[in-house]
Amino acid sequence: MKIRAVYPGSFDPITNGHIYIAERAAAIFDEVIVSVLINERKNAAFSVNERCEMARETLSHVKNIKVDSFNGLLADYVRQQEASVIIRGLRAMSDFEYEFQMALMNRKLAPEVETFFIVTDPRYSYVSSSSVREIFHFGGTVQDFVPEVVFNKLRELYTKHT
Ligand code: ADP
């Protein structure tokens, strides 16, 4: 039986930390769906289409990864996709509390689905989409944290706004 996993997140934008987790998940599971959350409440820097496009481009080298988007309950989406695993990345203890709570809630909503945590590489343990956006905005170097495609999109975004 093929095991399909969903890696959900805001990916606003996708970073090398996300890519690392997606690649490792793809080495374990038959199929990984990197799924961009359409979050109407949270003000995203990039549109859902842009976020998906960046994820698609930067993960195109991994054949068993597909990029999609979703809104509503993750548990419903995972079932709809006939997946049985949710992938989440862990950077530090500070991620743990939130992730643990979410995993328990998802277990309550979809007991047949397992949340699978992958620990990040130390190079990315302090990398987040929001820190990348902020550092870029204030003129800092982010090339070690995001692929070139994303770097170029950040440049476009911030020249549009200045
Ligand atoms: P969310 O808004 O759902 O937290 P993110 O895009 O910020 O969405 O993150 C999606 C998942 O990727 C989360 O499990 C998060 O902990 C993980 N993640 C984010 N940045 C990194 C990183 N640098 N290394 C490993 N995992 C990461």
Side-chain angles (χ1 to χ4, degrees):
M1 194 186 74
K2 290 204 169 190
I3 301 185
R4 185 175 291 151
V6 169
Y7 179 26
S10 306
F11 304 108
D12 188 31
I14 192 161
T15 69
N16 291 342
H18 292 128
I19 292 167
Y20 179 83
I21 299 296
E23 286 172 344
R24 290 190 78 96
I28 298 169
F29 299 104
D30 298 298
E31 198 181 315
V32 175
I33 307 173
V34 171
S35 203
V36 174
L37 172 67
I38 306 171
N39 193 338
E40 280 127 17
R41 263 174 297 161
K42 204 161 142 186
N43 264 338
F46 291 100
S47 71
V48 173
N49 279 346
E50 288 174 311
R51 285 183 272 155
C52 287
E53 200 44 49
M54 283 185 272
R56 240 170 240 130
E57 284 190 46
T58 53
L59 289 166
S60 62
H61 60 288
V62 192
K63 294 296 160 242
N64 58 335
I65 292 183
K66 164 177 138 180
V67 176
D68 189 27
S69 59
F70 76 104
N71 61 18
L73 274 184
L74 175 63
D76 291 343
Y77 173 76
V78 171
R79 278 191 179 134
Q80 221 177 64
Q81 295 300 313
E82 294 177 349
S84 52
V85 177
I86 296 170
I87 305 288
R88 296 292 287 176
L90 285 179
R91 284 164 291 193
M93 278 309 286
S94 50
D95 276 341
F96 183 76
E97 184 132 8
Y98 170 73
E99 294 292 344
F100 186 67
Q101 210 175 36
M102 200 165 85
L104 287 178
M105 184 54 85
N106 283 323
R107 175 167 303 164
K108 175 82 185 147
L109 296 173
E112 75 283 11
V113 173
E114 202 66 64
T115 300
F116 191 94
F117 292 106
I118 298 177
V119 170
T120 193
D121 185 275
R123 281 175 298 168
Y124 309 129
S125 63
Y126 50 91
V127 179
S128 67
S129 301
S130 57
S131 66
V132 163
R133 290 197 310 268
E134 198 163 291
I135 294 165
F136 185 89
H137 183 60
F138 291 110
T141 310
V142 296
Q143 279 94 327
D144 286 346
F145 310 138
V146 292
E148 201 180 336
V149 187
V150 175
F151 178 75
N152 291 335
K153 289 293 283 185
L154 281 163
R155 205 158 42 190
E156 256 178 50
L157 178 77
Y158 288 106
T159 44
K160 229 181 344 190
H161 289 175
T162 48

